[in-house]
Amino acid sequence: VYPFVAALGFEQYSTGASAVAGSLIDAGYCACFLLAFVSGAQLSGRRFWLVLSALTVLSIAEAPFARAAAFFLYAVVVSLAVARLRHDVAAIVTASAIVALLVPWAVPMWHSGPGWIEALTIVFTALITYAFSETVLANRALLGARAEIAQLASEAERNRIARDLHDLLGHSLTAITVKAGLARRLAAADPSRSLHEIAEVENLSRQALADVRAAVSNYRDVTLAGEQIGRAHV
């Protein structure tokens, strides 16, 4: 929107070649703003600051043609800067607002008083952009925390399953091993008891298999329920 406000300024104060020059500067400013937006989204620091410097130069170059309306372009420059320099927001916004307030009054040929509207535009635009950038950063941090919590929960669940299976199978496998060894030793001396021990080994094996299946089925039900709850929250 602000480049259109600046266009109203140079259309009002410039004619002929001056109006054409103002239009070209305004168009170049729009192109650089798009590059700054893309660079900011891609977190390309060096290119972002180069484009922001170009926007600053174009904002200053527009001043002779659009006069005080050029500060609307500068408001965008300040907003992009505070989105990166979050620790110096107060100093940047205050200094920029003072410049926008005094320059229209200090330049005799502009025949205007203090730039209250321009100064307020810089302040509110910069603060809104700063608040939006802080919200974006907070959302990114929240998503990162959620991903970390989900990973920790997954690791905890795997450890729990491993402990449960160890407790579930440890006693059964120990009993099966002992009874199988006993059946082997009794095979020649006491075949009937050996068969009894083998039958118990079979029963223990079947019971252990049933317990494992029940445990795995329970884990699957819990996992599916957790995924459904997670999708519902998303």
Side-chain angles (χ1 to χ4, degrees):
V1 175
Y2 289 168
F4 290 101
V5 177
L8 296 176
F10 65 70
E11 287 180 359
Q12 180 179 358
Y13 301 114
S14 303
T15 57
S18 297
V20 173
S23 299
L24 293 176
I25 293 173
D26 205 37
Y29 181 92
C30 292
C32 287
F33 172 76
L34 293 177
L35 288 176
F37 182 80
V38 173
S39 298
Q42 296 177 350
L43 301 178
S44 178
R46 183 177 180 182
R47 185 171 61 175
F48 175 82
W49 290 113
L50 288 174
V51 175
L52 189 64
S53 300
L55 287 173
T56 304
V57 172
L58 291 172
S59 300
I60 297 173
E62 190 70 274
F65 307 105
R67 298 189 180 182
F71 283 102
F72 287 94
L73 300 181
Y74 187 65
V76 179
V77 175
V78 176
S79 300
L80 292 174
V82 300
R84 284 297 185 94
L85 303 176
R86 297 187 298 275
H87 300 294
D88 301 320
V89 172
I92 295 173
V93 174
T94 301
S96 302
I98 292 174
V99 171
L101 181 67
L102 297 180
V103 169
W105 169 77
V107 179
M109 62 182 302
W110 286 9
H111 301 295
S112 62
W116 292 106
I117 296 177
E118 291 77 9
L120 291 174
T121 299
I122 289 176
V123 171
F124 284 108
T125 304
L127 292 180
I128 290 173
T129 305
Y130 174 75
F132 177 78
S133 65
E134 287 295 309
T135 302
V136 171
L137 292 176
N139 287 337
R140 288 179 179 175
L142 180 60
L143 291 176
R146 286 181 175 177
E148 184 177 358
I149 291 172
Q151 182 179 359
L152 292 175
S154 178
E155 293 178 358
E157 181 67 12
R158 286 197 296 268
N159 292 333
R160 185 180 70 85
I161 292 173
R163 288 194 303 269
D164 290 348
L165 290 179
H166 178 270
D167 295 340
L168 183 66
L169 295 178
H171 175 73
S172 298
L173 292 178
T174 301
I176 289 173
T177 302
V178 172
K179 287 185 174 296
L182 180 60
R184 178 177 56 80
R185 290 193 297 269
L186 294 174
D190 193 351
S192 61
R193 187 177 175 187
S194 175
L195 291 176
H196 175 73
E197 296 296 336
I198 291 175
E200 288 193 2
V201 167
E202 181 180 3
N203 291 333
L204 287 172
S205 300
R206 292 181 184 276
Q207 184 61 44
L209 181 60
D211 291 340
V212 170
R213 287 175 176 173
V216 171
S217 177
N218 183 53
Y219 295 145
R220 185 180 296 114
D221 292 340
V222 171
T223 302
L224 291 176
E227 291 177 354
Q228 292 174 358
I229 293 174
R231 286 195 294 267
H233 283 295
V234 174

